[in-house]
Amino acid sequence: MLHAEVAILGAGAAGLSLAHRLSHPARQGRPVSTVLLDAPPGPLRPPRRTWCYWEAGDGRYDDAVTAEWRRLRVHDPTGRSSEDDIAPLRYKMLRSDDFERHVGHALAHSDDVRRLEAAVETVRGDADGAEILARTDDGRPVTVHARWVFDSRPLARLPAARTTLLQHFRGWFVRTDRPVFDPGTALLMDFRVPQPPQGLAFGYLLPTDRHRALVEYTQFSHAVLPEHAYEEALRRYADDVLCLGGFEVTATETGVIPMTDARFARRASPSVFRIGAAGGATRPSTGYTFSAVQRQTRAVADALRAGRHPLPPPAHSARSRAMDAVMLRALDSGRVDGAAFFARLFAQVPMRRLLRFLDGETRLHEDLSVGIRTPVLPMLRSAAELPWLPRTPRHGP
């Protein structure tokens, strides 16, 4: 039986980020005893993946970052490109294995955070704390008592929503025979791929040097594809669009991210909170999550060290969520062409401002300057019908 002030369930981006923040000696405030419960190797453990985000200058995890870029490019369906320097921002790529090693090193030298490999079976919380029942890989039961619990595990069922699309993708880490990549520029969205009957599709290229890059194929739609369809789409993109020539696939990644206007509860009981994607950190319009996770976990860690109530803050503002709900409805209804929509935004709005908009850091007049670059009448029609649409539940992807 273990006792701690805080228990963190799940060792994905959110769980590891909060544990990392609590593992460092406090400059201000008090230390917080913490147990991180990480599922044993198997289906409950998060798959390997890559997180991308942007921030100004040096960041907390730069030692683990694979690559970063100051120039971004977008191709519209006709092949026309938009390119911009996003300084002082940097677009960064962080692989989950490197992130876990970075955080693991900090936890190994921490007196405040203990990592326990065990699968959580039940969580019972009340106003005075919570009891977690878990089981180790060899079948041994473990009980953890904590004053506060932060659950980052994926939800089995998504909350009811008016619109839910899935961002689903498959990526290849490739090594080419020829030096074909420009390591100074990331290709953020490439719409020179066949578009599906509903939703949209695009390629994605993150070069790490002249010979190596992450090449991805992504769709926004209602359902995932069979594995062979992603492989065929990636092969066509690599051969016919990027013209890579000879190359070797050194690793792969696959993922599904819900893009939804659902309301995510940040509190499961008086002492149990949800963080990360389970707590609404995923931006509905893009699927980006990592930056919002950092805002959430920083606020939680600061509250715990100061002895305040640690309810995680909303990951995105009410205004951002409202704008995203309109955009999702416009895409889902077919009123706007998704590829043309995003290509037009990147062509007409400075990329640095657009990235700040996507992070919710723009002011109202800047939001309006982005809004007028969208198809105004279809967006207004979508906004007008949203209050009348029912919210329906959906099982997780």
Side-chain angles (χ1 to χ4, degrees):
M1 185 177 295
L2 301 175
H3 294 266
E5 183 174 351
V6 167
I8 303 170
L9 312 186
L16 288 174
S17 295
L18 181 55
H20 187 258
R21 292 182 183 279
L22 294 176
S23 69
H24 288 73
R27 295 179 182 176
Q28 294 182 338
R30 58 194 182 82
V32 179
S33 63
T34 304
V35 175
L36 170 65
L37 284 94
D38 184 10
L44 295 180
R45 181 166 285 191
R48 293 175 177 174
R49 60 185 59 195
T50 301
W51 297 297
C52 291
Y53 58 100
W54 50 85
E55 62 183 347
D58 297 335
R60 185 180 186 87
Y61 304 115
D62 281 359
D63 289 345
V65 163
T66 301
E68 61 180 47
W69 303 267
R70 279 183 36 179
R71 296 197 67 83
L72 300 182
R73 181 184 301 134
V74 172
H75 283 289
D76 74 9
T78 69
R80 289 177 298 185
S81 65
S82 305
E83 186 172 323
D84 205 355
D85 188 322
I86 62 171
L89 299 179
R90 302 177 192 172
Y91 190 70
K92 301 182 180 184
M93 179 173 76
L94 179 62
R95 300 184 69 173
S96 59
D97 284 353
D98 297 328
F99 180 60
E100 185 168 352
R101 280 192 291 270
H102 178 81
V103 175
H105 178 76
L107 301 188
H109 294 82
S110 172
D111 295 327
D112 299 325
V113 181
R114 173 178 178 179
R115 189 169 187 172
L116 175 64
E117 196 170 274
V120 174
E121 295 182 343
T122 61
V123 181
R124 292 192 286 266
D126 56 31
D128 298 320
E131 180 182 82
I132 301 133
L133 303 180
R135 195 170 297 275
T136 62
D137 199 27
D138 60 5
R140 180 171 54 89
V142 178
T143 302
V144 178
H145 290 278
R147 177 64 186 90
W148 306 110
V149 174
F150 297 90
D151 193 347
S152 69
R153 297 172 299 164
L155 298 175
R157 185 183 182 92
L158 293 175
R162 295 166 297 193
T163 308
T164 297
L165 296 175
L166 301 179
Q167 179 181 157
H168 47 104
F169 57 88
R170 185 168 178 82
W172 288 344
F173 290 88
V174 302
R175 182 171 56 237
T176 60
D177 298 336
R178 299 180 293 113
V180 297
F181 300 121
D182 172 10
T185 303
L187 180 48
L188 192 64
M189 286 181 140
D190 189 345
F191 295 106
R192 297 175 295 172
V193 299
Q195 296 299 310
Q198 289 184 304
L200 72 149
F202 57 91
Y204 190 68
L205 176 66
L206 299 181
T208 56
D209 61 36
R210 297 285 290 168
H211 289 268
R212 294 174 176 83
L214 169 60
V215 180
E216 282 199 358
Y217 173 80
T218 300
Q219 272 198 22
F220 294 178
S221 62
H222 285 285
V224 299
L225 305 176
E227 183 174 349
H228 69 84
Y230 297 107
E231 292 289 311
E232 292 169 5
L234 272 168
R235 177 62 63 178
R236 287 197 301 268
Y237 181 51
D239 291 344
D240 301 339
V241 178
L242 299 178
C243 302
L244 298 185
F247 65 88
E248 173 191 5
V249 178
T250 60
T252 64
E253 69 171 19
T254 303
V256 183
I257 303 171
M259 303 170 63
T260 174
D261 67 354
R263 300 175 181 135
F264 286 82
R266 290 168 286 128
R267 171 180 273 171
S269 77
S271 57
V272 179
F273 308 106
R274 294 194 177 101
I275 57 174
T282 300
R283 183 71 193 260
S285 59
T286 64
Y288 282 104
T289 305
F290 195 81
S291 292
V293 161
Q294 301 314 309
R295 292 193 296 270
Q296 261 191 350
T297 55
R298 180 172 57 246
V300 167
D302 288 348
L304 288 167
R305 291 199 186 282
R308 303 192 308 268
H309 192 277
L311 174 67
H316 305 285
S317 70
R319 189 166 81 235
S320 295
R321 295 196 304 272
M323 291 186 293
D324 286 355
V326 174
M327 189 277 288
L328 287 176
R329 179 57 186 166
L331 285 179
D332 191 34
S333 65
R335 294 193 185 103
V336 301
D337 179 304
F341 175 88
F342 282 105
R344 179 178 177 180
L345 279 181
F346 279 99
Q348 297 188 1
V349 180
M351 288 191 188
R352 183 173 56 195
R353 183 188 303 171
L354 193 53
L355 294 181
R356 289 178 52 245
F357 169 81
L358 294 175
D359 251 353
E361 295 180 351
T362 46
R363 298 181 179 180
L364 179 59
H365 73 277
E366 293 175 298
D367 292 347
L368 294 174
S369 73
V370 173
I372 61 175
R373 267 74 176 186
T374 67
V376 175
L377 291 179
M379 300 294 276
L380 288 175
R381 182 179 173 187
S382 299
E385 73 178 3
L386 276 177
W388 311 103
L389 296 176
R391 293 184 178 269
T392 57
R394 173 185 177 133
H395 288 284

